Amino acid sequence: MNQPDIEKRVMHAHELHERGYNCAQSVACACADLVGIDEATAFKATEGLGGGMGGATETCGAISGGAVVLGYAISHGPHDPHTKTQTYMLVSQLAQQFKQKNTSTICEELKGLTGGPVLRSCPGCIEDAMRMTLALLEEAPRP
């Protein structure tokens, strides 16, 4: 994917977030067409992943949205449940890259809710997860 396309998708994810989408929805919906899923399905599938898993401030929703996109891209579906290893590998890379850049993958730590400094804003997390997800999609094996 070329740089202008990446920038356009990152901006789209930001626009979605400004419209009220959670971080997971923003990432998944901005990438949905790349993996053959419609935006409404991506929106519904990731609704419970915002706020660090249903508001529990656990894993950052932007990472979770990226994980959904990567899983959808790689999975062969229920008739061939053997693609987990490839999916896990790419999702693990996403989480590791995100943590390397931002020190944490935990929503409450990223937002500074644990008493520490704010490590990354939600828009920043969305941007990072988008860029990382798009890069990983480039190397993802397709069914």
Side-chain angles (χ1 to χ4, degrees):
M1 178 171 291
N2 63 40
Q3 198 60 34
D5 288 340
I6 292 169
E7 297 308 319
K8 183 178 174 182
R9 287 186 184 276
V10 169
M11 291 305 300
H12 182 56
H14 284 303
E15 291 165 1
L16 295 174
H17 192 250
E18 289 172 7
R19 288 183 14 211
Y21 288 39
N22 69 36
C23 296
Q25 290 169 322
S26 298
V27 171
C29 290
C31 296
D33 65 308
L34 295 173
V35 297
I37 188 172
D38 64 276
E39 190 172 315
T41 300
F43 183 92
K44 289 179 178 183
T46 54
E47 186 162 281
L49 302 176
M53 297 285 193
T57 65
E58 294 295 330
T59 301
C60 170
I63 298 168
S64 297
V68 168
V69 168
L70 291 168
Y72 201 90
I74 296 166
S75 179
H76 290 183
H79 66 279
D80 181 12
H82 297 45
T83 54
K84 291 187 294 279
T85 302
Q86 293 170 323
T87 300
Y88 291 0
M89 183 181 70
L90 285 179
V91 172
S92 178
Q93 287 178 2
L94 173 61
Q96 289 170 9
Q97 289 172 12
F98 190 95
K99 186 173 185 175
Q100 183 176 17
K101 179 169 184 169
N102 296 302
T103 312
S104 179
T105 60
I106 306 299
C107 179
E108 69 179 345
E109 292 174 4
L110 291 161
K111 290 182 173 184
L113 301 175
T114 58
V118 173
L119 300 175
R120 195 77 165 125
S121 66
C122 289
C125 289
I126 290 167
E127 180 170 346
D128 294 343
M130 277 294 298
R131 292 182 188 285
M132 292 169 188
T133 298
L134 291 169
L136 290 166
L137 275 175
E138 290 286 317
E139 61 187 70
R142 299 297 172 113

